[in-house]
């Protein structure tokens, strides 16, 4: 197993999170540093104001550089937004020589073939994820290298995004002084961080409910079958409270995060909380159950949207492992019980785990995509699918004396 230092940037609607991690031979990923900045200039996962977005990214990157003692020259970047769309496509190649086993070269050829799909000229392919291979009709081969066969097929999950949105994201990161190594789809990243192998095998849908969007990734038979991004998230819950309670946005956000509950029936009708409100009185007291009712209505709607998306792709009875919720909004108390009621699927809330190093802040559902982008990049690199190799970064003169460990992160070859 190869090692190295990797950096990832999760550009979310509410926060930008940069993570630096190190992989050493035969050891789990160790987090060296994290930088979190409030996101400005972003809406529903997409750049809206390039200057503000870039400043937020810069601030998050600088924090991560300080906490890790590394210099981040380039990074893997998470991408989301409702411009994302997906399709499944098959690639086929002939293996002319019967005496020769299938090689890496054949696998690369068949994967290249699967990428030949007709997509509108204003879209780019972000990923062509191999789901499984078929060798002379033998289904569900996970690794065909070394096998004998005359025909090799691959089933791939292809994800595309609007070229201009991808360009704006890339520009935002590059204006912050960081080169983009690869763009990684946020739903796949979150799945990488929080799903168990057994869940993917038995059929599961992951929903990362963030601030502006809900990222969906559906797995069947161990591989990704469908991905989607819905333009709805926790910010809608807060906005509903602003309207329902007639209070400022920050008071509504506090009401949601400090006193919120997704199941109104679980709250005592007499319980009240004091919050800042519009009007002459300033502060007012609100029934906690009323807050929960507003939140419940919106969470139910989000769950129904998730199920509509699931049913567009598969019959929901094949999802034996049910629904896994992550993203900041998955912190809402009672959300798993409500989701279970609405969707009829077994539901759990999950956060990144099995990390080492500076992990305290990252073990929260809000950081599933941030950690997942890093884990996805590391896995692709180990599998030889990424052609970059991190090398030590030498810092000149006096800085070198002062800084014990500067590394060049993911410098392209
Ligand atoms: N305890 C909590 N209860 C309810 N909601 C919460 C709680 N903690 C955080 N949130 C919400 O989570 C959302 C932010 O989640 P997250 O950090 O996953 O979003 P993001 O990655 O910045 O945005 P996106 O993925 O939508 O682009 C906010 O709307 C915030 O209010
Ligand atoms: Mg997010």
């Amino acid at each position: 197993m190869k090692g190295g230092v990797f950096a990832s940037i999760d550009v979310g609607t509410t926060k930008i999170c940069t993570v630096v991690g190190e992989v050493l031979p035969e050891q789990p990923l160790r987090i060296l540093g994290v930088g979190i900045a409030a996101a400005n200039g972003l809406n529903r996962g997409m750049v809206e104001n390039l200057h503000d977005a870039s400043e937020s990214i810069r601030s998050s990157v600088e924090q991560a550089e300080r906490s890790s003692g590394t210099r981040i020259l380039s990074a893997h970047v998470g991408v989301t937004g409702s411009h994302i769309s997906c399709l499944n496509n098959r690639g086929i190649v002939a293996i002319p020589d019967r005496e020769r086993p299938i090689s890496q070269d054949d696998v690369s050829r068949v994967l290249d073939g699967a990428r030949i799909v007709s997509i509108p000229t204003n879209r780019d392919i972000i990923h062509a994820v191999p789901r499984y291979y078929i060798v002379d009709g033998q289904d569900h081969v996970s690794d065909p290298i070394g096998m004998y066969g005359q025909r090799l097929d691959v089933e791939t999950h292809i994800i595309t995004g609007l070229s201009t949105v991808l360009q704006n994201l890339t520009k935002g990161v590059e204006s912050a002084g960081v080169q983009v190594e690869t763009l990684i789809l946020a739903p796949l990243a979150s799945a990488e961080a929080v799903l168990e192998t057994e869940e993917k095998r038995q059929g599961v849908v992951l929903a990362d409910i963030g601030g502006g969007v809900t990222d969906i990734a559906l797995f069947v038979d161990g591989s990704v079958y469908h991905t989607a991004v819905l333009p709805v998230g926790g910010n809608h819950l807060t906005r509903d409270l602003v309207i329902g309670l007639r209070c400022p946005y920050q008071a509504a956000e506090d009401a949601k995060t400090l006193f919120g509950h997704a199941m109104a029936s679980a709250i005592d009708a007499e319980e009240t909380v004091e919050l800042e409100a519009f009007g002459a009185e300033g502060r007012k007291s609100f029934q906690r159950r009323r807050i929960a009712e507003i939140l419940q209505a919106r969470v139910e709607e989000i769950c129904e949207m998730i199920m509509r998306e699931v049913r567009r792709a598969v019959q929901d009875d094949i999802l034996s492992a049910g629904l896994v919720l992550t993203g900041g909004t998955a912190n809402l108390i009672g959300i798993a019980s409500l989701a279970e009621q609405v969707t009829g699927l077994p539901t759990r809330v999950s956060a990144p785990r099995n990390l080492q190093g500076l992990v305290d802040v990252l073990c929260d559902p809000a950081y599933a995509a941030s950690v997942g982008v890093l884990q996805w990049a590391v896995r692709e690199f180990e599998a030889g699918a990424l052609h970059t190799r991190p090398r030590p970064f030498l810092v000149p003169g006096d800085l070198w004396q002062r800084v014990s460990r500067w590394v060049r992160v993911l410098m392209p070859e």
Side-chain angles (χ1 to χ4, degrees):
M1 180 169 143
K2 297 177 273 187
V5 178
F6 295 79
S8 70
I9 307 176
D10 172 23
V11 184
T13 309
T14 63
K15 51 108 182 46
I16 317 277
C17 179
T18 304
V19 186
V20 181
E22 181 177 36
V23 184
L24 295 171
E26 312 309 328
Q27 282 184 34
L29 177 65
R30 208 165 69 83
I31 305 298
L32 298 180
V34 182
I36 298 159
N40 295 315
L42 285 136
N43 190 14
R44 297 181 179 185
M46 293 180 279
V47 175
E48 200 180 54
N49 178 321
L50 205 51
H51 177 263
D52 291 354
S54 176
E55 282 308 304
S56 304
I57 295 168
R58 188 192 302 277
S59 157
S60 150
V61 166
E62 282 173 3
Q63 281 182 44
E65 286 184 332
R66 273 197 300 276
S67 76
S68 62
T70 62
R71 176 92 172 85
I72 300 169
L73 296 184
S74 62
H76 300 272
V77 177
V79 56
T80 183
S82 47
H83 63 104
I84 297 292
S85 73
C86 72
L87 64 119
N88 291 330
N89 190 41
R90 184 175 280 210
I92 306 168
V93 289
I95 314 288
D97 184 355
R98 277 177 188 218
E99 306 301 314
R100 174 177 73 75
I102 294 168
S103 64
Q104 177 63 53
D105 192 42
D106 298 319
V107 170
S108 304
R109 270 194 310 130
V110 76
L111 283 171
D112 286 345
R115 291 178 81 104
I116 302 170
V117 281
S118 88
I119 54 167
T121 49
N122 61 349
R123 301 189 77 83
D124 281 333
I125 294 181
I126 303 171
H127 294 278
V129 187
R131 296 179 50 229
Y132 56 85
Y133 297 88
I134 303 158
V135 181
D136 283 356
Q138 185 189 335
D139 227 345
H140 284 90
V141 173
S142 58
D143 182 6
I145 293 174
M147 291 176 72
Y148 289 92
Q150 287 187 285
R151 171 180 158 158
L152 175 66
D153 297 26
V154 65
E155 271 294 330
T156 52
H157 183 67
I158 295 188
I159 294 154
T160 68
L162 269 182
S163 314
T164 45
V165 176
L166 303 179
Q167 277 172 324
N168 287 336
L169 176 63
T170 304
K171 177 99 185 283
V173 175
E174 289 183 352
S175 306
V178 178
Q179 232 187 302
V180 175
E181 277 289 319
T182 56
L183 292 176
I184 294 172
L185 190 75
L188 290 179
S190 300
E192 184 81 16
V194 304
L195 291 184
E196 304 284 348
T197 309
E198 179 63 6
E199 287 173 328
K200 293 188 208 169
R201 201 174 291 145
Q202 303 309 339
V204 70
V205 56
L206 170 108
D208 179 321
I209 313 177
V213 294
T214 295
D215 295 323
I216 295 177
L218 196 150
F219 289 76
V220 183
D221 289 333
S223 60
V224 61
Y225 186 79
H226 184 69
T227 44
V229 180
L230 307 177
V232 61
N235 291 353
H236 293 81
L237 274 76
T238 309
R239 259 181 251 132
D240 290 348
L241 289 177
V242 169
I243 295 164
L245 307 180
R246 299 186 176 201
C247 65
Y249 192 88
Q250 191 51 50
E253 181 74 13
D254 291 347
K256 177 180 79 170
T257 53
L258 303 176
F259 312 113
H261 204 294
M263 304 275 278
S265 59
I267 306 290
D268 188 341
E270 304 300 312
E271 202 178 333
T272 57
V273 292
E274 279 249 323
L275 292 168
E276 201 186 321
F278 287 122
E281 289 172 51
R283 287 182 82 77
K284 271 193 202 157
S285 110
F286 295 95
Q287 274 187 318
R288 213 180 139 208
R289 183 181 273 189
R290 175 80 193 116
I291 297 172
E293 279 167 359
I294 295 169
L295 296 173
Q296 177 166 349
R298 181 64 83 164
V299 175
E300 277 174 2
E301 191 198 0
I302 295 177
C303 291
E304 276 156 14
M305 288 170 78
I306 294 169
M307 286 317 282
R308 267 202 297 280
E309 195 57 48
V310 166
R311 291 190 190 111
R312 273 182 49 191
V314 295
Q315 299 210 321
D316 51 350
D317 56 3
I318 69 165
L319 300 177
S320 304
L323 170 66
V324 175
L325 295 176
T326 192
T329 303
N331 283 311
L332 183 67
I333 297 166
I335 196 167
S337 314
L338 180 65
E340 200 157 305
Q341 249 180 37
V342 175
T343 64
L345 294 172
T347 306
R348 73 180 179 101
V349 170
S350 188
R353 64 226 123 81
N354 301 335
L355 298 171
Q356 294 199 342
L358 269 181
V359 297
D360 301 3
V361 69
L362 295 178
C363 294
D364 180 299
Y367 298 101
S370 319
V371 171
V373 170
L374 195 69
Q375 290 176 327
W376 178 281
V378 168
R379 190 171 51 73
E380 291 277 281
F381 178 70
E382 298 297 346
L386 285 182
H387 303 293
T388 51
R389 176 108 183 108
R391 295 191 213 98
F393 175 58
L394 300 179
V395 181
D398 57 335
L399 265 180
W400 182 247
Q401 308 298 319
R402 284 189 284 127
V403 182
S404 60
R405 189 148 140 262
W406 285 63
V407 265
R408 168 176 170 170
V409 180
L410 296 171
M411 188 71 161
E413 291 193 325

